[in-house]
Amino acid sequence: MTERPLRARRDAHALAAVRLLHTAIWAFFASSILAIPVTIWAGQLVAALSLSVFVWGEVVVLVLNRMRCPLTTLAARYTDDRADNFDICLPRWLARHNQRLFGTLFALTQLQLGWTLLAR
């Protein structure tokens, strides 16, 4: 087997692994953002604060990387594709609007959490 097809196959496997990891991490943070208002509503403020801290950690990582996930940079090593979802298993429209959508939801959850804590 020549080097070129072997390398292409290795790159495809590496890209698939990065995409799956990226998707799993995204699912964790997206679920965390969606769970924050639920935990607030249930009166589980420690859980809401814990989820918020995890998400704030991701925000710091994004800010330090100029609002680009480090896994996107890693995935780019294995393909020339630069579609909005080349690095993650999400529909293209969601990958394109992910930060805006979940950033807005997260900001709203933080306002809700702050309001709840101040009202105690």
Side-chain angles (χ1 to χ4, degrees):
M1 183 175 274
T2 64
E3 178 62 28
R4 183 167 272 153
L6 184 60
R7 180 178 173 133
R9 193 169 356 168
R10 267 195 311 245
D11 286 354
H13 283 87
L15 178 60
V18 172
R19 290 184 82 216
L20 287 173
L21 176 63
H22 197 181
T23 304
I25 292 170
W26 174 87
F28 171 79
F29 285 111
S31 298
S32 295
I33 290 169
L34 296 174
I36 292 169
V38 174
T39 57
I40 294 169
W41 178 79
Q44 301 294 319
L45 298 182
V46 172
L49 284 167
S50 298
L51 291 168
S52 292
V53 167
F54 283 123
V55 177
W56 276 112
E58 174 67 3
V59 170
V60 168
V61 168
L62 289 172
V63 167
L64 292 175
N65 287 286
R66 297 184 199 111
M67 299 309 293
R68 183 177 167 114
C69 179
L71 292 173
T72 299
T73 302
L74 181 60
R77 294 179 187 175
Y78 302 111
T79 182
D80 293 329
D81 183 3
R82 291 301 179 267
D84 292 317
N85 62 347
F86 84 94
D87 60 330
I88 194 164
C89 301
L90 294 176
R92 194 172 285 179
W93 68 268
L94 182 54
R96 181 179 305 126
H97 301 291
N98 179 50
Q99 285 185 357
R100 187 175 315 126
L101 175 65
F102 283 95
T104 301
L105 289 173
F106 182 58
L108 292 172
T109 68
Q110 297 308 279
L111 290 172
Q112 180 188 16
L113 181 57
W115 181 270
T116 303
L117 291 171
L118 289 174
R120 291 186 93 208

PDB file of all heavy atoms in Angstrom, residues 71-105:
ATOM      1  N   LEU A  71     -10.343  21.896  19.794  1.00  0.00           N
ATOM      2  CA  LEU A  71     -10.588  20.688  19.007  1.00  0.00           C
ATOM      3  C   LEU A  71     -10.831  21.006  17.534  1.00  0.00           C
ATOM      4  O   LEU A  71     -10.560  20.175  16.664  1.00  0.00           O
ATOM      5  CB  LEU A  71     -11.745  19.889  19.593  1.00  0.00           C
ATOM      6  CG  LEU A  71     -11.438  19.256  20.956  1.00  0.00           C
ATOM      7  CD1 LEU A  71     -12.689  18.626  21.542  1.00  0.00           C
ATOM      8  CD2 LEU A  71     -10.321  18.241  20.849  1.00  0.00           C
ATOM      9  N   THR A  72     -11.312  22.198  17.237  1.00  0.00           N
ATOM     10  CA  THR A  72     -11.458  22.625  15.846  1.00  0.00           C
ATOM     11  C   THR A  72     -10.084  22.738  15.199  1.00  0.00           C
ATOM     12  O   THR A  72      -9.877  22.284  14.071  1.00  0.00           O
ATOM     13  CB  THR A  72     -12.210  23.964  15.766  1.00  0.00           C
ATOM     14  OG1 THR A  72     -13.508  23.786  16.326  1.00  0.00           O
ATOM     15  CG2 THR A  72     -12.320  24.475  14.343  1.00  0.00           C
ATOM     16  N   THR A  73      -9.148  23.312  15.924  1.00  0.00           N
ATOM     17  CA  THR A  73      -7.779  23.431  15.422  1.00  0.00           C
ATOM     18  C   THR A  73      -7.173  22.054  15.207  1.00  0.00           C
ATOM     19  O   THR A  73      -6.510  21.807  14.195  1.00  0.00           O
ATOM     20  CB  THR A  73      -6.928  24.253  16.406  1.00  0.00           C
ATOM     21  OG1 THR A  73      -7.538  25.538  16.570  1.00  0.00           O
ATOM     22  CG2 THR A  73      -5.505  24.429  15.915  1.00  0.00           C
ATOM     23  N   LEU A  74      -7.412  21.146  16.158  1.00  0.00           N
ATOM     24  CA  LEU A  74      -6.902  19.787  16.015  1.00  0.00           C
ATOM     25  C   LEU A  74      -7.522  19.092  14.805  1.00  0.00           C
ATOM     26  O   LEU A  74      -6.822  18.470  14.003  1.00  0.00           O
ATOM     27  CB  LEU A  74      -7.181  18.995  17.295  1.00  0.00           C
ATOM     28  CG  LEU A  74      -6.697  17.552  17.323  1.00  0.00           C
ATOM     29  CD1 LEU A  74      -5.179  17.472  17.144  1.00  0.00           C
ATOM     30  CD2 LEU A  74      -7.132  16.884  18.612  1.00  0.00           C
ATOM     31  N   ALA A  75      -8.829  19.202  14.640  1.00  0.00           N
ATOM     32  CA  ALA A  75      -9.511  18.564  13.513  1.00  0.00           C
ATOM     33  C   ALA A  75      -9.004  19.105  12.176  1.00  0.00           C
ATOM     34  O   ALA A  75      -8.917  18.356  11.198  1.00  0.00           O
ATOM     35  CB  ALA A  75     -11.024  18.767  13.631  1.00  0.00           C
ATOM     36  N   ALA A  76      -8.663  20.387  12.145  1.00  0.00           N
ATOM     37  CA  ALA A  76      -8.195  21.004  10.897  1.00  0.00           C
ATOM     38  C   ALA A  76      -6.902  20.377  10.388  1.00  0.00           C
ATOM     39  O   ALA A  76      -6.600  20.469   9.195  1.00  0.00           O
ATOM     40  CB  ALA A  76      -8.021  22.503  11.096  1.00  0.00           C
ATOM     41  N   ARG A  77      -6.146  19.728  11.259  1.00  0.00           N
ATOM     42  CA  ARG A  77      -4.911  19.055  10.828  1.00  0.00           C
ATOM     43  C   ARG A  77      -5.193  17.867   9.908  1.00  0.00           C
ATOM     44  O   ARG A  77      -4.321  17.437   9.160  1.00  0.00           O
ATOM     45  CB  ARG A  77      -4.147  18.526  12.034  1.00  0.00           C
ATOM     46  CG  ARG A  77      -3.610  19.569  12.948  1.00  0.00           C
ATOM     47  CD  ARG A  77      -2.896  18.900  14.091  1.00  0.00           C
ATOM     48  NE  ARG A  77      -2.488  19.865  15.102  1.00  0.00           N
ATOM     49  CZ  ARG A  77      -1.932  19.532  16.247  1.00  0.00           C
ATOM     50  NH1 ARG A  77      -1.719  18.260  16.528  1.00  0.00           N
ATOM     51  NH2 ARG A  77      -1.601  20.459  17.099  1.00  0.00           N
ATOM     52  N   TYR A  78      -6.405  17.323   9.989  1.00  0.00           N
ATOM     53  CA  TYR A  78      -6.713  16.071   9.318  1.00  0.00           C
ATOM     54  C   TYR A  78      -7.601  16.212   8.095  1.00  0.00           C
ATOM     55  O   TYR A  78      -7.949  15.208   7.482  1.00  0.00           O
ATOM     56  CB  TYR A  78      -7.353  15.101  10.315  1.00  0.00           C
ATOM     57  CG  TYR A  78      -6.470  14.844  11.505  1.00  0.00           C
ATOM     58  CD1 TYR A  78      -6.819  15.312  12.759  1.00  0.00           C
ATOM     59  CD2 TYR A  78      -5.260  14.168  11.358  1.00  0.00           C
ATOM     60  CE1 TYR A  78      -5.987  15.092  13.853  1.00  0.00           C
ATOM     61  CE2 TYR A  78      -4.428  13.951  12.433  1.00  0.00           C
ATOM     62  CZ  TYR A  78      -4.790  14.414  13.678  1.00  0.00           C
ATOM     63  OH  TYR A  78      -3.965  14.207  14.759  1.00  0.00           O
ATOM     64  N   THR A  79      -7.966  17.440   7.738  1.00  0.00           N
ATOM     65  CA  THR A  79      -8.822  17.635   6.566  1.00  0.00           C
ATOM     66  C   THR A  79      -8.677  19.057   6.047  1.00  0.00           C
ATOM     67  O   THR A  79      -8.334  19.974   6.805  1.00  0.00           O
ATOM     68  CB  THR A  79     -10.300  17.350   6.910  1.00  0.00           C
ATOM     69  OG1 THR A  79     -11.084  17.496   5.730  1.00  0.00           O
ATOM     70  CG2 THR A  79     -10.836  18.279   7.972  1.00  0.00           C
ATOM     71  N   ASP A  80      -8.976  19.220   4.765  1.00  0.00           N
ATOM     72  CA  ASP A  80      -9.028  20.555   4.175  1.00  0.00           C
ATOM     73  C   ASP A  80     -10.449  21.112   4.219  1.00  0.00           C
ATOM     74  O   ASP A  80     -10.672  22.275   3.893  1.00  0.00           O
ATOM     75  CB  ASP A  80      -8.541  20.520   2.725  1.00  0.00           C
ATOM     76  CG  ASP A  80      -7.058  20.186   2.639  1.00  0.00           C
ATOM     77  OD1 ASP A  80      -6.306  20.552   3.569  1.00  0.00           O
ATOM     78  OD2 ASP A  80      -6.650  19.554   1.643  1.00  0.00           O
ATOM     79  N   ASP A  81     -11.404  20.282   4.604  1.00  0.00           N
ATOM     80  CA  ASP A  81     -12.807  20.688   4.701  1.00  0.00           C
ATOM     81  C   ASP A  81     -12.937  21.774   5.772  1.00  0.00           C
ATOM     82  O   ASP A  81     -12.377  21.648   6.860  1.00  0.00           O
ATOM     83  CB  ASP A  81     -13.660  19.476   5.080  1.00  0.00           C
ATOM     84  CG  ASP A  81     -15.147  19.779   5.139  1.00  0.00           C
ATOM     85  OD1 ASP A  81     -15.560  20.914   4.832  1.00  0.00           O
ATOM     86  OD2 ASP A  81     -15.903  18.856   5.498  1.00  0.00           O
ATOM     87  N   ARG A  82     -13.672  22.829   5.476  1.00  0.00           N
ATOM     88  CA  ARG A  82     -13.896  23.882   6.464  1.00  0.00           C
ATOM     89  C   ARG A  82     -15.384  24.239   6.552  1.00  0.00           C
ATOM     90  O   ARG A  82     -15.746  25.354   6.905  1.00  0.00           O
ATOM     91  CB  ARG A  82     -13.083  25.137   6.140  1.00  0.00           C
ATOM     92  CG  ARG A  82     -11.575  24.956   6.307  1.00  0.00           C
ATOM     93  CD  ARG A  82     -11.198  24.544   7.732  1.00  0.00           C
ATOM     94  NE  ARG A  82      -9.771  24.349   7.872  1.00  0.00           N
ATOM     95  CZ  ARG A  82      -9.135  23.193   7.732  1.00  0.00           C
ATOM     96  NH1 ARG A  82      -9.800  22.092   7.431  1.00  0.00           N
ATOM     97  NH2 ARG A  82      -7.836  23.112   7.887  1.00  0.00           N
ATOM     98  N   ALA A  83     -16.239  23.254   6.271  1.00  0.00           N
ATOM     99  CA  ALA A  83     -17.678  23.473   6.474  1.00  0.00           C
ATOM    100  C   ALA A  83     -17.895  23.774   7.955  1.00  0.00           C
ATOM    101  O   ALA A  83     -17.070  23.421   8.801  1.00  0.00           O
ATOM    102  CB  ALA A  83     -18.457  22.225   6.061  1.00  0.00           C
ATOM    103  N   ASP A  84     -18.995  24.398   8.269  1.00  0.00           N
ATOM    104  CA  ASP A  84     -19.255  24.783   9.658  1.00  0.00           C
ATOM    105  C   ASP A  84     -19.224  23.599  10.615  1.00  0.00           C
ATOM    106  O   ASP A  84     -18.946  23.768  11.796  1.00  0.00           O
ATOM    107  CB  ASP A  84     -20.611  25.492   9.765  1.00  0.00           C
ATOM    108  CG  ASP A  84     -20.613  26.846   9.081  1.00  0.00           C
ATOM    109  OD1 ASP A  84     -19.630  27.593   9.233  1.00  0.00           O
ATOM    110  OD2 ASP A  84     -21.603  27.139   8.389  1.00  0.00           O
ATOM    111  N   ASN A  85     -19.497  22.414  10.120  1.00  0.00           N
ATOM    112  CA  ASN A  85     -19.556  21.235  10.980  1.00  0.00           C
ATOM    113  C   ASN A  85     -18.479  20.199  10.646  1.00  0.00           C
ATOM    114  O   ASN A  85     -18.641  19.029  10.964  1.00  0.00           O
ATOM    115  CB  ASN A  85     -20.941  20.600  10.917  1.00  0.00           C
ATOM    116  CG  ASN A  85     -21.298  20.126   9.534  1.00  0.00           C
ATOM    117  OD1 ASN A  85     -20.637  20.460   8.562  1.00  0.00           O
ATOM    118  ND2 ASN A  85     -22.351  19.339   9.447  1.00  0.00           N
ATOM    119  N   PHE A  86     -17.364  20.630  10.047  1.00  0.00           N
ATOM    120  CA  PHE A  86     -16.330  19.661   9.677  1.00  0.00           C
ATOM    121  C   PHE A  86     -15.710  18.989  10.895  1.00  0.00           C
ATOM    122  O   PHE A  86     -15.183  17.882  10.806  1.00  0.00           O
ATOM    123  CB  PHE A  86     -15.227  20.313   8.821  1.00  0.00           C
ATOM    124  CG  PHE A  86     -14.152  21.017   9.616  1.00  0.00           C
ATOM    125  CD1 PHE A  86     -12.990  20.347   9.959  1.00  0.00           C
ATOM    126  CD2 PHE A  86     -14.313  22.328  10.025  1.00  0.00           C
ATOM    127  CE1 PHE A  86     -11.995  20.980  10.692  1.00  0.00           C
ATOM    128  CE2 PHE A  86     -13.329  22.972  10.750  1.00  0.00           C
ATOM    129  CZ  PHE A  86     -12.157  22.294  11.088  1.00  0.00           C
ATOM    130  N   ASP A  87     -15.803  19.630  12.050  1.00  0.00           N
ATOM    131  CA  ASP A  87     -15.100  19.167  13.239  1.00  0.00           C
ATOM    132  C   ASP A  87     -16.016  18.595  14.320  1.00  0.00           C
ATOM    133  O   ASP A  87     -15.543  18.236  15.401  1.00  0.00           O
ATOM    134  CB  ASP A  87     -14.310  20.329  13.830  1.00  0.00           C
ATOM    135  CG  ASP A  87     -15.209  21.489  14.214  1.00  0.00           C
ATOM    136  OD1 ASP A  87     -16.265  21.680  13.576  1.00  0.00           O
ATOM    137  OD2 ASP A  87     -14.871  22.215  15.162  1.00  0.00           O
ATOM    138  N   ILE A  88     -17.317  18.504  14.040  1.00  0.00           N
ATOM    139  CA  ILE A  88     -18.277  18.088  15.053  1.00  0.00           C
ATOM    140  C   ILE A  88     -19.484  17.442  14.364  1.00  0.00           C
ATOM    141  O   ILE A  88     -19.818  17.813  13.239  1.00  0.00           O
ATOM    142  CB  ILE A  88     -18.707  19.298  15.925  1.00  0.00           C
ATOM    143  CG1 ILE A  88     -19.428  18.871  17.184  1.00  0.00           C
ATOM    144  CG2 ILE A  88     -19.481  20.318  15.113  1.00  0.00           C
ATOM    145  CD1 ILE A  88     -19.534  19.971  18.241  1.00  0.00           C
ATOM    146  N   CYS A  89     -20.110  16.515  15.061  1.00  0.00           N
ATOM    147  CA  CYS A  89     -21.268  15.814  14.489  1.00  0.00           C
ATOM    148  C   CYS A  89     -22.553  16.563  14.839  1.00  0.00           C
ATOM    149  O   CYS A  89     -23.340  16.127  15.687  1.00  0.00           O
ATOM    150  CB  CYS A  89     -21.322  14.375  15.013  1.00  0.00           C
ATOM    151  SG  CYS A  89     -19.869  13.412  14.645  1.00  0.00           S
ATOM    152  N   LEU A  90     -22.739  17.687  14.212  1.00  0.00           N
ATOM    153  CA  LEU A  90     -23.932  18.514  14.384  1.00  0.00           C
ATOM    154  C   LEU A  90     -24.420  18.938  13.006  1.00  0.00           C
ATOM    155  O   LEU A  90     -23.620  19.015  12.068  1.00  0.00           O
ATOM    156  CB  LEU A  90     -23.624  19.789  15.185  1.00  0.00           C
ATOM    157  CG  LEU A  90     -23.213  19.657  16.640  1.00  0.00           C
ATOM    158  CD1 LEU A  90     -22.852  21.022  17.207  1.00  0.00           C
ATOM    159  CD2 LEU A  90     -24.319  19.020  17.447  1.00  0.00           C
ATOM    160  N   PRO A  91     -25.711  19.240  12.893  1.00  0.00           N
ATOM    161  CA  PRO A  91     -26.173  19.818  11.627  1.00  0.00           C
ATOM    162  C   PRO A  91     -25.415  21.125  11.349  1.00  0.00           C
ATOM    163  O   PRO A  91     -25.042  21.848  12.291  1.00  0.00           O
ATOM    164  CB  PRO A  91     -27.658  20.100  11.876  1.00  0.00           C
ATOM    165  CG  PRO A  91     -28.026  19.310  13.078  1.00  0.00           C
ATOM    166  CD  PRO A  91     -26.780  19.117  13.877  1.00  0.00           C
ATOM    167  N   ARG A  92     -25.209  21.404  10.102  1.00  0.00           N
ATOM    168  CA  ARG A  92     -24.425  22.589   9.722  1.00  0.00           C
ATOM    169  C   ARG A  92     -24.987  23.877  10.325  1.00  0.00           C
ATOM    170  O   ARG A  92     -24.249  24.715  10.825  1.00  0.00           O
ATOM    171  CB  ARG A  92     -24.365  22.690   8.197  1.00  0.00           C
ATOM    172  CG  ARG A  92     -23.317  23.667   7.719  1.00  0.00           C
ATOM    173  CD  ARG A  92     -23.153  23.611   6.234  1.00  0.00           C
ATOM    174  NE  ARG A  92     -22.415  22.382   5.929  1.00  0.00           N
ATOM    175  CZ  ARG A  92     -22.111  21.992   4.713  1.00  0.00           C
ATOM    176  NH1 ARG A  92     -22.486  22.688   3.677  1.00  0.00           N
ATOM    177  NH2 ARG A  92     -21.426  20.887   4.509  1.00  0.00           N
ATOM    178  N   TRP A  93     -26.335  24.044  10.319  1.00  0.00           N
ATOM    179  CA  TRP A  93     -26.932  25.276  10.841  1.00  0.00           C
ATOM    180  C   TRP A  93     -26.660  25.420  12.337  1.00  0.00           C
ATOM    181  O   TRP A  93     -26.423  26.527  12.819  1.00  0.00           O
ATOM    182  CB  TRP A  93     -28.439  25.329  10.564  1.00  0.00           C
ATOM    183  CG  TRP A  93     -29.225  24.308  11.341  1.00  0.00           C
ATOM    184  CD1 TRP A  93     -29.559  23.046  10.927  1.00  0.00           C
ATOM    185  CD2 TRP A  93     -29.746  24.446  12.669  1.00  0.00           C
ATOM    186  NE1 TRP A  93     -30.261  22.390  11.915  1.00  0.00           N
ATOM    187  CE2 TRP A  93     -30.385  23.223  13.005  1.00  0.00           C
ATOM    188  CE3 TRP A  93     -29.741  25.465  13.604  1.00  0.00           C
ATOM    189  CZ2 TRP A  93     -31.001  23.017  14.224  1.00  0.00           C
ATOM    190  CZ3 TRP A  93     -30.362  25.253  14.828  1.00  0.00           C
ATOM    191  CH2 TRP A  93     -30.971  24.041  15.116  1.00  0.00           C
ATOM    192  N   LEU A  94     -26.679  24.309  13.074  1.00  0.00           N
ATOM    193  CA  LEU A  94     -26.420  24.380  14.515  1.00  0.00           C
ATOM    194  C   LEU A  94     -24.951  24.666  14.787  1.00  0.00           C
ATOM    195  O   LEU A  94     -24.622  25.483  15.655  1.00  0.00           O
ATOM    196  CB  LEU A  94     -26.858  23.082  15.202  1.00  0.00           C
ATOM    197  CG  LEU A  94     -26.697  23.040  16.725  1.00  0.00           C
ATOM    198  CD1 LEU A  94     -27.396  24.216  17.395  1.00  0.00           C
ATOM    199  CD2 LEU A  94     -27.224  21.722  17.267  1.00  0.00           C
ATOM    200  N   ALA A  95     -24.073  24.020  14.048  1.00  0.00           N
ATOM    201  CA  ALA A  95     -22.643  24.292  14.205  1.00  0.00           C
ATOM    202  C   ALA A  95     -22.341  25.763  13.900  1.00  0.00           C
ATOM    203  O   ALA A  95     -21.542  26.398  14.587  1.00  0.00           O
ATOM    204  CB  ALA A  95     -21.827  23.376  13.301  1.00  0.00           C
ATOM    205  N   ARG A  96     -23.003  26.308  12.882  1.00  0.00           N
ATOM    206  CA  ARG A  96     -22.781  27.702  12.487  1.00  0.00           C
ATOM    207  C   ARG A  96     -23.229  28.672  13.577  1.00  0.00           C
ATOM    208  O   ARG A  96     -22.580  29.682  13.823  1.00  0.00           O
ATOM    209  CB  ARG A  96     -23.516  28.009  11.187  1.00  0.00           C
ATOM    210  CG  ARG A  96     -23.309  29.439  10.708  1.00  0.00           C
ATOM    211  CD  ARG A  96     -24.030  29.723   9.396  1.00  0.00           C
ATOM    212  NE  ARG A  96     -23.633  28.768   8.383  1.00  0.00           N
ATOM    213  CZ  ARG A  96     -24.476  28.014   7.670  1.00  0.00           C
ATOM    214  NH1 ARG A  96     -25.779  28.115   7.857  1.00  0.00           N
ATOM    215  NH2 ARG A  96     -24.041  27.171   6.769  1.00  0.00           N
ATOM    216  N   HIS A  97     -24.342  28.378  14.232  1.00  0.00           N
ATOM    217  CA  HIS A  97     -24.928  29.313  15.202  1.00  0.00           C
ATOM    218  C   HIS A  97     -24.751  28.866  16.653  1.00  0.00           C
ATOM    219  O   HIS A  97     -25.340  29.451  17.555  1.00  0.00           O
ATOM    220  CB  HIS A  97     -26.417  29.490  14.902  1.00  0.00           C
ATOM    221  CG  HIS A  97     -26.670  30.009  13.525  1.00  0.00           C
ATOM    222  ND1 HIS A  97     -26.339  31.289  13.139  1.00  0.00           N
ATOM    223  CD2 HIS A  97     -27.185  29.407  12.433  1.00  0.00           C
ATOM    224  CE1 HIS A  97     -26.652  31.455  11.872  1.00  0.00           C
ATOM    225  NE2 HIS A  97     -27.165  30.329  11.419  1.00  0.00           N
ATOM    226  N   ASN A  98     -23.941  27.863  16.873  1.00  0.00           N
ATOM    227  CA  ASN A  98     -23.773  27.257  18.186  1.00  0.00           C
ATOM    228  C   ASN A  98     -23.397  28.266  19.274  1.00  0.00           C
ATOM    229  O   ASN A  98     -24.053  28.334  20.310  1.00  0.00           O
ATOM    230  CB  ASN A  98     -22.715  26.158  18.091  1.00  0.00           C
ATOM    231  CG  ASN A  98     -22.459  25.490  19.397  1.00  0.00           C
ATOM    232  OD1 ASN A  98     -23.374  25.071  20.079  1.00  0.00           O
ATOM    233  ND2 ASN A  98     -21.196  25.409  19.762  1.00  0.00           N
ATOM    234  N   GLN A  99     -22.342  29.025  19.060  1.00  0.00           N
ATOM    235  CA  GLN A  99     -21.891  29.960  20.099  1.00  0.00           C
ATOM    236  C   GLN A  99     -22.925  31.043  20.366  1.00  0.00           C
ATOM    237  O   GLN A  99     -23.163  31.398  21.529  1.00  0.00           O
ATOM    238  CB  GLN A  99     -20.556  30.590  19.723  1.00  0.00           C
ATOM    239  CG  GLN A  99     -19.403  29.632  19.889  1.00  0.00           C
ATOM    240  CD  GLN A  99     -18.067  30.291  19.628  1.00  0.00           C
ATOM    241  OE1 GLN A  99     -17.974  31.462  19.258  1.00  0.00           O
ATOM    242  NE2 GLN A  99     -17.008  29.525  19.796  1.00  0.00           N
ATOM    243  N   ARG A 100     -23.537  31.546  19.347  1.00  0.00           N
ATOM    244  CA  ARG A 100     -24.543  32.594  19.530  1.00  0.00           C
ATOM    245  C   ARG A 100     -25.754  32.038  20.287  1.00  0.00           C
ATOM    246  O   ARG A 100     -26.251  32.653  21.231  1.00  0.00           O
ATOM    247  CB  ARG A 100     -24.972  33.168  18.181  1.00  0.00           C
ATOM    248  CG  ARG A 100     -25.876  34.372  18.307  1.00  0.00           C
ATOM    249  CD  ARG A 100     -26.200  35.011  16.961  1.00  0.00           C
ATOM    250  NE  ARG A 100     -25.023  35.139  16.119  1.00  0.00           N
ATOM    251  CZ  ARG A 100     -24.922  34.662  14.874  1.00  0.00           C
ATOM    252  NH1 ARG A 100     -25.942  34.052  14.316  1.00  0.00           N
ATOM    253  NH2 ARG A 100     -23.829  34.811  14.176  1.00  0.00           N
ATOM    254  N   LEU A 101     -26.224  30.882  19.874  1.00  0.00           N
ATOM    255  CA  LEU A 101     -27.395  30.282  20.490  1.00  0.00           C
ATOM    256  C   LEU A 101     -27.139  29.898  21.950  1.00  0.00           C
ATOM    257  O   LEU A 101     -27.855  30.345  22.859  1.00  0.00           O
ATOM    258  CB  LEU A 101     -27.824  29.045  19.687  1.00  0.00           C
ATOM    259  CG  LEU A 101     -28.970  28.229  20.251  1.00  0.00           C
ATOM    260  CD1 LEU A 101     -30.252  29.041  20.251  1.00  0.00           C
ATOM    261  CD2 LEU A 101     -29.153  26.958  19.445  1.00  0.00           C
ATOM    262  N   PHE A 102     -26.128  29.083  22.177  1.00  0.00           N
ATOM    263  CA  PHE A 102     -25.872  28.615  23.532  1.00  0.00           C
ATOM    264  C   PHE A 102     -25.249  29.702  24.408  1.00  0.00           C
ATOM    265  O   PHE A 102     -25.430  29.701  25.623  1.00  0.00           O
ATOM    266  CB  PHE A 102     -25.047  27.334  23.524  1.00  0.00           C
ATOM    267  CG  PHE A 102     -25.882  26.145  23.161  1.00  0.00           C
ATOM    268  CD1 PHE A 102     -25.942  25.694  21.855  1.00  0.00           C
ATOM    269  CD2 PHE A 102     -26.651  25.510  24.114  1.00  0.00           C
ATOM    270  CE1 PHE A 102     -26.740  24.617  21.508  1.00  0.00           C
ATOM    271  CE2 PHE A 102     -27.456  24.435  23.784  1.00  0.00           C
ATOM    272  CZ  PHE A 102     -27.506  23.979  22.481  1.00  0.00           C
ATOM    273  N   GLY A 103     -24.547  30.639  23.810  1.00  0.00           N
ATOM    274  CA  GLY A 103     -24.036  31.789  24.574  1.00  0.00           C
ATOM    275  C   GLY A 103     -25.179  32.627  25.119  1.00  0.00           C
ATOM    276  O   GLY A 103     -25.161  33.048  26.280  1.00  0.00           O
ATOM    277  N   THR A 104     -26.176  32.860  24.288  1.00  0.00           N
ATOM    278  CA  THR A 104     -27.356  33.616  24.725  1.00  0.00           C
ATOM    279  C   THR A 104     -28.106  32.860  25.816  1.00  0.00           C
ATOM    280  O   THR A 104     -28.482  33.443  26.844  1.00  0.00           O
ATOM    281  CB  THR A 104     -28.294  33.898  23.537  1.00  0.00           C
ATOM    282  OG1 THR A 104     -27.580  34.652  22.550  1.00  0.00           O
ATOM    283  CG2 THR A 104     -29.531  34.659  23.974  1.00  0.00           C
ATOM    284  N   LEU A 105     -28.307  31.557  25.603  1.00  0.00           N
ATOM    285  CA  LEU A 105     -28.982  30.745  26.627  1.00  0.00           C
ATOM    286  C   LEU A 105     -28.194  30.763  27.942  1.00  0.00           C
ATOM    287  O   LEU A 105     -28.779  30.894  29.020  1.00  0.00           O
ATOM    288  CB  LEU A 105     -29.161  29.308  26.139  1.00  0.00           C
ATOM    289  CG  LEU A 105     -30.188  29.087  25.044  1.00  0.00           C
ATOM    290  CD1 LEU A 105     -30.128  27.636  24.550  1.00  0.00           C
ATOM    291  CD2 LEU A 105     -31.583  29.430  25.528  1.00  0.00           C
TER     292      LEU A 105
END
